[in-house]
Amino acid sequence: MANDIIIAPSVLASDFGNLAAEISAVDDAGADWIHLDVMDGHFVPNLTFGPPIIKMVRAASAKVFDAHLMVSNPDSLLESYADAGADIITVHAESCSHLDSTTARIRELGCKAGVALNPHTPPDCLSYILDRIDLVLVMTVNPGFGGQSFISAMTDKITEVRKMIGDRDITIEVDGGITADNSGAVVAAGATALVAGSAIFKGGGVSAYTKNILAIRQAAASYSAQED
Ligand code: DX5
Ligand code: ZN
């Protein structure tokens, strides 16, 4: 059960000046996915990177590239993210006028389609598209910046999403303020993919990242062990 938990380090907390090396280090440290936070300075106040940078670092790891688009109007660049090497493309429900078309397009491009929900967004906006998406990203902070505190009220939302999904093959990912202290609780509520930025990239280098990933994995596993 614990082995089923996906750990997705968010490169937002890495050294952007050495992005390819940081991705390679976190891959060596045991990351399952590489979480790429794309911010446009419009949907969220912060600004990061887009398809050209993703394309440049694609060769640094063979792991799943998990692109989290915190952008207004994501539709116009979906093809560029797919071409750059994103395996999963997650858009925000709040940023899409025609969410069902957007997720369908992501799948047409050969990627897995994810939908992210801001803390204030109720999950029932997904009820009628659940059979056509691959991942729900429950934001556990307000998007835009790393290093914020986990909003504990989101644990109930994870439980609600878990119930809605039923036996569908949909990953529940959580993102924001995830540490070894709360990973057990989010997994207990139903999350199966854990994004963590500052809790993983602290210390610098493969051995620190290995220790940090293991701490989160073990905390999630100890919950699983109690349940088994
Ligand atoms: C927040 C981003 C997160 C963030 C996580 O807008 O989507 O992926 O980098 O960072 P931590 O784990 O530091 O909250
Ligand atoms: Zn993210």
Side-chain angles (χ1 to χ4, degrees), residues 10 12 35 37 39 68 70 139 141-148 175-178 195-199:
S10 161
L12 186 63
H35 186 82
D37 283 310
M39 303 186 185
H68 175 195
M70 286 160 276
M139 289 304 302
V141 298
N142 286 289
F145 298 93
Q148 303 181 75
D175 184 5
I178 299 298
V195 176
S198 34

Side-chain angles (χ1 to χ4, degrees), residues 101-114:
S101 305
T102 302
T103 51
R105 179 69 186 135
I106 292 170
R107 283 179 150 196
E108 263 174 33
L109 290 164
C111 299
K112 302 268 189 205

Side-chain angles (χ1 to χ4, degrees), residues 35-187:
H35 186 82
L36 301 157
D37 283 310
V38 176
M39 303 186 185
D40 66 350
H42 187 266
F43 179 69
V44 289
N46 204 359
L47 196 58
T48 56
F49 50 78
I53 301 280
I54 294 175
K55 195 171 200 153
M56 275 190 221
V57 297
R58 181 61 269 196
S61 169
K63 301 271 168 77
V64 165
F65 267 26
D66 173 33
H68 175 195
L69 307 191
M70 286 160 276
V71 303
S72 303
N73 306 315
D75 300 72
S76 59
L77 282 178
L78 292 177
E79 196 170 344
S80 305
Y81 289 104
D83 288 347
D87 299 293
I88 302 167
I89 300 179
T90 296
V91 293
H92 268 261
E94 307 84 9
S95 73
C96 297
S97 307
H98 305 285
L99 185 58
D100 186 51
S101 305
T102 302
T103 51
R105 179 69 186 135
I106 292 170
R107 283 179 150 196
E108 263 174 33
L109 290 164
C111 299
K112 302 268 189 205
V115 181
L117 304 172
N118 276 339
H120 75 277
T121 305
D124 58 4
C125 64
L126 303 178
S127 307
Y128 291 93
I129 63 167
L130 283 177
D131 290 323
R132 295 183 300 285
I133 61 174
D134 304 291
L135 179 147
V136 176
L137 171 50
V138 177
M139 289 304 302
T140 43
V141 298
N142 286 289
F145 298 93
Q148 303 181 75
S149 298
F150 176 76
I151 301 172
S152 58
M154 294 303 111
T155 314
D156 288 345
K157 194 199 275 193
I158 299 164
T159 306
E160 205 179 324
V161 171
R162 177 84 272 156
K163 278 194 200 130
M164 275 176 61
I165 285 175
D167 58 8
R168 293 176 184 86
D169 185 18
I170 297 178
T171 301
I172 301 181
E173 186 175 42
V174 288
D175 184 5
I178 299 298
T179 66
D181 292 335
N182 54 33
S183 56
V186 293
V187 169

